[in-house]
Amino acid sequence: MKHDPSRCMHCGACVNVCPSGALELEDTLLIGDGCRECLACAAVCPVDAMGCEDEV
Ligand code: SF4
Ligand code: SF4
């Protein structure tokens, strides 16, 4: 996954929905090694800040 920090408003929705607990919200959103590219975070993000490499 790729994350666009300029769009992210730290709502935490992606962190709550990630089935592998790969996301951590700190000063910026951190994507850990557990990411399985399931795209659940991208589907729930209200500002499209999460996406595949080509999309962000
Ligand atoms: S793609 Fe899936 S596994 Fe990866 S960070 Fe997003 S919700 Fe978590
Ligand atoms: S759902 Fe989107 S806006 Fe909300 S914390 Fe995650 S990346 Fe940021």
Side-chain angles (χ1 to χ4, degrees):
M1 293 304 292
K2 289 269 274 190
H3 171 63
D4 183 351
S6 67
R7 290 191 197 178
C8 180
M9 55 183 191
H10 292 77
C11 70
C14 56
V15 178
N16 292 331
V17 81
C18 180
S20 36
L23 298 175
E24 255 186 87
L25 199 51
E26 309 226 337
D27 291 343
T28 182
L29 183 76
L30 306 176
I31 304 175
D33 292 338
C35 176
R36 290 177 284 169
E37 307 287 340
C38 72
L39 301 180
C41 54
V44 79
C45 179
V47 293
D48 281 334
M50 303 296 295
C52 298
E53 304 266 330
D54 298 340
E55 290 173 351
V56 176

